[in-house]
Amino acid sequence: MSFKVEDLGKNMVKLTIEVAADEFEKAMETAYQKNKNKLTVQGFRKGKAPRSIVEKIYGPGVFYEDAANEVMPEAYEKAADESGLDIVSKPEIDIVQIEKGKEFIFTAEVAVKPEVTLGEYKGVSIDKIEVSVSDEEIDAELNRVREQNARIFTVEDRPVADGDEAMIDFEGFVDDAPFAGGKGEDYKLVIGSHSFIDTFEEQLIGKNVGEEVEVNVTFPEDYHAKELAGRPAKFKVHIKGIMAKELPALDDEFAVDVSEFDTLAEYKEDIKKNLLEKKEKEAKYAKEDAVVDKIIEGAAMEIPDAMVDSQTRQMAEEYAQRLQMQGLSLEQYFKFTGMNANSFMENLKPQALKRIQCRLVLEAVAKSENIEVSDEELDKEYETMAQNYRMEKEKLVELVSEKEKEQIKMDIAVQKAVDIVRDAAKEK
C-alpha cells in the first residue's frame, strides 16, 4: 500500500491510496469464496464453479465491489495513520482504478483540524451576572413541594373546577370525521394545565360526573400535524370522574414532614441556600460561555464544511440515543415536531459549528498556556469515569487505548483552559 497527500485548501486534503495488484487479487479471491454459493452456473453445482468460469459468465467485475470493500477500510486507516494528519471528518471515497491484475486506486477526501490564531483571551470584558434569590422564588419552591405532598381525593358533590383532575373519555372530529390521534380513554386531564389545545379544559368546568360534553376548539396555526393546523374541531367528551387535591398547611409541621428541619423558617433558609448555590453554578457556566464567545470573536480559524457535517451527524446520533432512552424514536420526534431528517440536521448545524469553535479555541488556549496534565489529575478522571460506568478503575484503565488516553488528557487540559480564561475575565 502506498499513498500521496494533496492539499485541496480550506483545510481539506485528498489522500490517493494505491493497493498493490497482488493484494487486490487476494481480496478478489476472498470475495469469490464469500459469494460462490450464491451464484448459479449451468453445469455446476452451487459453489463448485471455478472463479474463472464465474467471471466469464457474470463479467470480470462481478467481485469488484466486495473486493474493494475488503481492502479499503484497512488501506485507508493505514494511510490516515502514516500521513500524520489530524483528520476530523469521515472520508469521502471515490474509486479511481479497479481492474483485475492492476493496482486498486481510490481517493479519500477528508477535513483536517484547522489552525487557530488567537486574539485576546485573558482579561476579556463581559457583562457581570448578578445572583440573588427572591422571596417569590422561595415561595414557588415551597408550593412545588406542597403540590408533591398534596392529598388527592375523589369529588362526588360538585362539578369540575379549575385545578381538578378530570378522568375523561374523548373523541375528536373535524368536519364530522374522526382524525388520527384524536381519541382517548380514561385520560387524566388537569384542568388549567393547558396541556390540551385552545379552550378545551375551560369548557369542562362546571360539568358533572356522567355528563356528555361537546367541546369546540380550533387547532393552532402552527400545530405539528399540518392536516389539522388552523382547523376547527369538535370533541365528544364523557366525564368519568373528578379528583381534587388538598395542599398541606404551610407551617412547622409541614417542614418536619418534608425536611430535616424543625421549623418552617429553617426550612425556608435551606431552600434559599440551595437555590443560591444552583444559581451561582448556572452563573458560572453562563460566564464561561460568555468568555468563550468573546474569545471566538477575536480568533481566526477556517472550519471546513465536512468537519461541521461530521459534528452534526455525531450530535444527531447523540440526540437519537437520548430520545431512545425516553422511549421515543427519531421518526416519532419528527411526527410530533413536524420536522424531517433534513430540517433536523439543518437545525443542528449552528450548534455543531459552535461546539467546534469552542473546542478549537480552548485547545489553542491550552497550547498557548503550556497546560500540562499530571498523573494525579488523570488518575482522578479515571476514578470519576469508573464511577459513572460502574466498573473498577483498574479494569477501565486496561480498556483505555493510548489514543483515548490522550483525548482524556486533552479534555482535562481544555477544562483547565476554561478556568484560566474565566478567572481572568473582567466583569462590567
Side-chain angles (χ1 to χ4, degrees):
M1 189 278 298
S2 62
F3 69 92
K4 64 179 182 179
V5 179
E6 179 185 353
D7 187 353
L8 301 177
K10 296 185 177 180
N11 294 302
M12 292 296 295
V13 167
K14 180 193 285 186
L15 293 169
T16 300
I17 303 165
E18 186 174 303
V19 178
D22 59 339
E23 287 297 315
F24 189 65
E25 171 56 30
K26 290 178 184 177
M28 289 278 284
E29 180 62 23
T30 300
Y32 161 67
Q33 294 295 336
K34 187 173 91 172
N35 291 286
K36 63 182 182 180
N37 291 325
K38 304 174 187 175
L39 301 170
T40 301
V41 177
Q42 190 173 0
F44 294 90
R45 285 181 293 137
K46 274 196 174 181
K48 298 301 180 180
R51 182 178 142 197
S52 59
I53 299 296
V54 173
E55 290 176 335
K56 185 175 181 180
I57 293 173
Y58 286 93
V62 63
F63 300 121
Y64 283 177
E65 183 177 351
D66 283 345
N69 291 334
E70 178 75 20
V71 298
M72 280 195 295
E74 183 178 350
Y76 167 74
E77 287 297 330
K78 189 175 181 182
D81 185 56
E82 291 181 6
S83 71
L85 296 170
D86 196 347
I87 295 172
V88 292
S89 74
K90 291 184 177 180
E92 289 290 333
I93 301 294
D94 186 35
I95 294 175
V96 177
Q97 177 175 287
I98 183 167
E99 189 174 340
K100 185 178 178 180
K102 292 187 178 181
E103 294 83 2
F104 172 60
I105 304 172
F106 68 100
T107 61
E109 289 190 17
V110 293
V112 294
K113 181 180 286 188
E115 290 290 329
V116 177
T117 303
L118 288 172
E120 181 185 27
Y121 67 85
K122 290 174 80 171
V124 299
S125 181
I126 60 168
D127 292 332
K128 185 176 178 62
I129 301 172
E130 301 290 348
V131 176
S132 63
V133 176
S134 67
D135 290 341
E136 289 77 15
E137 289 171 313
I138 297 172
D139 289 342
E141 177 62 16
L142 281 171
N143 285 328
R144 185 185 69 81
V145 178
R146 289 177 75 200
E147 289 281 350
Q148 289 178 341
N149 290 272
R151 182 178 74 87
I152 307 297
F153 59 95
T154 301
V155 174
E156 297 177 341
D157 58 351
R158 64 167 176 80
V160 175
D162 192 22
D164 286 345
E165 181 180 86
M167 180 180 285
I168 60 173
D169 292 342
F170 63 88
E171 184 172 14
F173 300 84
V174 171
D175 293 334
D176 294 325
F179 56 87
K183 187 175 183 179
E185 293 182 353
D186 295 336
Y187 190 94
K188 294 180 179 179
L189 176 64
V190 176
I191 308 301
S193 65
H194 303 293
S195 55
F196 271 31
I197 62 168
D198 202 10
T199 59
F200 188 104
E201 294 162 28
E202 289 89 332
Q203 293 180 58
L204 300 185
I205 293 175
K207 308 302 182 184
N208 292 291
V209 173
E211 277 196 58
E212 302 288 339
V213 184
E214 184 176 294
V215 173
N216 293 284
V217 294
T218 301
F219 283 97
E221 294 290 343
D222 59 352
Y223 194 64
H224 64 81
K226 291 184 171 53
E227 67 275 11
L228 299 175
R231 301 188 67 182
K234 175 176 66 179
F235 283 84
K236 294 180 180 178
V237 182
H238 174 63
I239 299 176
K240 303 176 75 174
I242 305 171
M243 302 292 288
K245 67 175 66 173
E246 182 179 60
L247 298 178
L250 204 54
D251 52 23
D252 290 344
E253 185 178 340
F254 169 72
V256 171
D257 288 341
V258 301
S259 75
E260 59 189 35
F261 301 99
D262 296 326
T263 67
L264 182 61
E266 290 174 313
Y267 181 40
K268 290 175 74 172
E269 279 301 312
D270 186 64
I271 289 175
K272 182 176 182 179
K273 172 175 161 289
N274 291 333
L275 288 174
L276 190 60
E277 288 176 355
K278 180 183 177 184
K279 283 195 169 189
E280 286 172 342
K281 186 178 290 187
E282 291 170 349
K284 174 188 170 185
Y285 293 141
K287 181 179 178 180
E288 290 173 356
D289 289 343
V291 171
V292 174
D293 283 346
K294 282 282 187 179
I295 297 172
I296 291 172
E297 286 178 18
M301 55 189 137
E302 191 171 33
I303 300 173
D305 291 341
M307 186 178 186
V308 177
D309 291 341
S310 184
Q311 181 68 64
T312 302
R313 283 193 295 271
Q314 180 183 326
M315 292 175 66
E317 289 168 5
E318 292 170 358
Y319 198 89
Q321 288 172 359
R322 289 197 296 272
L323 285 175
Q324 193 172 28
M325 292 173 66
Q326 299 170 27
L328 285 174
S329 66
L330 263 182
E331 289 70 25
Q332 289 171 315
Y333 175 77
F334 292 157
K335 182 179 178 181
F336 295 150
T337 61
M339 300 176 74
N340 57 37
N342 288 335
S343 60
F344 175 64
M345 296 294 279
E346 284 301 314
N347 281 349
L348 284 179
K349 273 190 176 180
Q351 301 172 46
L353 176 61
K354 182 66 176 292
R355 184 182 288 190
I356 292 168
Q357 290 172 325
C358 289
R359 181 72 181 198
L360 288 176
V361 297
L362 289 170
E363 286 184 1
V365 169
K367 182 178 179 181
S368 178
E369 291 291 313
N370 296 313
I371 293 175
E372 295 183 354
V373 177
S374 67
D375 291 340
E376 291 77 12
E377 289 171 322
L378 182 60
D379 192 63
K380 185 178 179 181
E381 183 63 22
Y382 282 149
E383 287 179 0
T384 301
M385 291 173 64
Q387 289 174 3
N388 290 339
Y389 292 127
R390 297 181 181 178
M391 62 189 299
E392 294 180 1
K393 186 187 76 175
E394 291 73 18
K395 182 64 176 176
L396 181 139
V397 173
E398 287 177 11
L399 296 173
V400 173
S401 67
E402 194 60 35
K403 186 176 181 180
E404 289 169 333
K405 177 182 175 181
E406 290 305 311
Q407 184 62 48
I408 294 168
K409 290 175 73 173
M410 179 55 75
D411 291 343
I412 298 170
V414 162
Q415 186 53 55
K416 293 171 79 171
V418 171
D419 296 339
I420 287 173
V421 297
R422 182 196 64 234
D423 295 343
K426 298 173 184 174
E427 295 180 297
K428 58 183 179 179

